[in-house]
Amino acid sequence: MAKLSRRKILIGGAVVAGGTALAIGRSSDESGPRKPYFLDMQKALKAANIAQPTLVIDRARLNTNIDQLMSDLPDGMGYRIVAKSLPSLDLIGHVRARSGTDRLMTFNLPMLLALSEAMPEASQLLGKPLPAQAAKNYFNALSPDKAEAGARIEWLVDTPARLDQYAAIADAQGADMAINIELDVGLHRGGMEPGDALSGMMETIRQSNRLSFAGMMGYEPHLSKLPIALGWQERAKEGAWAIYREALSTADDVFGESNVRASTRNAAGSPTYRLYEDTEIANELSIGSALVKPTDFDTDLLEAFQPAAFIATPAIKVLDETRLPALEFADGAKRMIDPNLDKTIFMYGGKWMALPEDPPGLRYNSTFGHSSNQEMLNGGPNTDLKPDDFVFLRPTQSEAVFLQFGDIAVYENGAIVDSWSVFPASA
């Protein structure tokens, strides 16, 4: 073994000293042949003259996921589309048509207005409480010929103070407002728990000439994060449902059991909807992300769903080596230790909430860092890519990522067959 000089730098599993590298564990090559699925999608993008970062939705996979969801729902369970997770009027319209639902969950003023104008016949439940001024702005901005849309909104209220604000807005606008009460069923992100304050809010609604009771919402995504071992998840689920049951009992006393059973009893999200096997607690479930399945939703409960959304972006530069600024002396040693540093790809754009998917084995370079201009990726010796070919990534989530690429390219039967517009970035 060569004698090391005093100057030692530990880089990528090798001690580098005066040009000498001592391997302490060689990584395996993760590169390999590209998947035919992505080669076909690449061919379709090039045939469509697309040459910039693009969000692609596979409509066949999307349809399969919608059908999977609808087959999973218990008898009598309603489905509400989560608009923020599918932030495109065209995409939402497609899901509505395929699933047969007219229920939407909306999360901000621009989205609320856009859906009210485009789909005034749909029912909208706010997924989070809007500031009072935003609610006022809605009534002021809504087209007079779309007034019916305002009557189909369930305004989410999380505190007695917000309820009072909404009551004042309803009086000032001369508009009726249907109120849905947010429950804290264990997430502890705000909302009401059973008790005097909740029953007081219900009584305020009952006595109002402008407010009406629309139902309740209890969101519990924390359940999917809890371990099944030792009964943690089951206990938390039963605890959440016990809170919901008690709130329903309070509502029965104020509004009457038949009215409460006919009201909106909303629960779940993509990670937890399959925990509901009947309509005892909830009579509708809200799902969006599962239909396109970003990586954050690669869970056991969603194993039957297929990834249906990808970021496709051209490779601008494909280099047969990896050289890092000011660390060139260590590049050879690092590649010897890790063959996945054999090639470098600089892609068009980057710094998205997404993970490389194809070609196989691509990964970000943590030393070089991220770039929204030309993101650097590394791959092994079998990375089959040339400039202007496409790199494919899977978003980690959909709600923010989908808004970054302009129109969505719709892929089906080996071709780009449609273009779906997205909400404005402010939505």
Side-chain angles (χ1 to χ4, degrees), residues 48-130:
N49 299 320
I50 293 173
Q52 70 280 337
T54 302
L55 197 289
V56 183
I57 284 183
D58 183 327
R59 188 156 62 188
R61 288 190 177 191
L62 172 65
N63 288 342
T64 298
N65 289 343
I66 297 169
D67 296 344
Q68 177 68 49
L69 166 64
M70 299 310 294
S71 69
D72 284 343
L73 296 182
D75 290 343
M77 186 68 78
Y79 166 47
R80 191 172 290 273
I81 301 169
V82 179
K84 73 176 175 62
S85 301
L86 306 169
S88 159
L89 289 174
D90 297 310
L91 174 54
I92 291 169
H94 179 83
V95 176
R96 281 188 69 193
R98 183 96 181 178
S99 65
T101 188
D102 65 353
R103 307 182 199 196
L104 309 175
M105 180 172 279
T106 316
F107 289 81
N108 54 48
L109 178 59
M111 194 180 296
L112 187 65
L113 280 167
L115 289 166
S116 293
E117 297 286 344
M119 305 175 185
E121 75 287 353
S123 160
Q124 295 193 70
L125 166 62
L126 270 298
K128 63 185 177 189
L130 291 190

Side-chain angles (χ1 to χ4, degrees), residues 172-305:
Q173 297 284 341
D176 295 334
M177 296 181 72
I179 302 299
N180 190 297
I181 299 175
E182 181 178 12
L183 301 176
D184 181 0
V185 294
L187 181 59
H188 305 320
R189 194 176 64 180
M192 300 300 297
E193 296 183 46
D196 291 343
L198 177 60
S199 58
M201 288 177 67
M202 291 180 178
E203 192 61 35
T204 296
I205 296 170
R206 189 185 69 81
Q207 295 180 16
S208 173
N209 293 323
R210 286 291 182 187
L211 304 182
S212 61
F213 177 72
M216 290 180 283
M217 180 182 77
Y219 185 45
E220 25 55 347
H222 60 287
L223 297 183
S224 66
K225 308 293 185 182
L226 298 175
I228 297 175
L230 303 178
W232 278 63
Q233 186 182 89
E234 185 65 22
R235 284 195 300 274
K237 182 186 76 172
E238 290 302 324
W241 289 359
I243 293 170
Y244 215 134
R245 284 192 191 94
E246 189 174 349
L248 289 170
S249 178
T250 300
D252 289 345
D253 293 340
V254 177
F255 302 109
E257 183 176 353
S258 61
N259 290 328
V260 174
R261 291 295 150 182
S263 69
T264 298
R265 292 176 279 122
N266 182 272
S270 289
T272 56
Y273 85 89
R274 295 186 70 195
L275 298 177
Y276 292 81
E277 298 178 352
D278 55 47
T279 58
E280 178 204 356
I281 300 294
N283 62 6
E284 67 166 39
L285 304 174
S286 300
I287 299 101
S289 297
L291 302 184
V292 290
K293 201 178 184 184
T295 62
D296 284 353
F297 295 83
D298 287 343
T299 66
D300 290 343
L301 284 174
L302 297 177
E303 187 177 0
F305 290 78

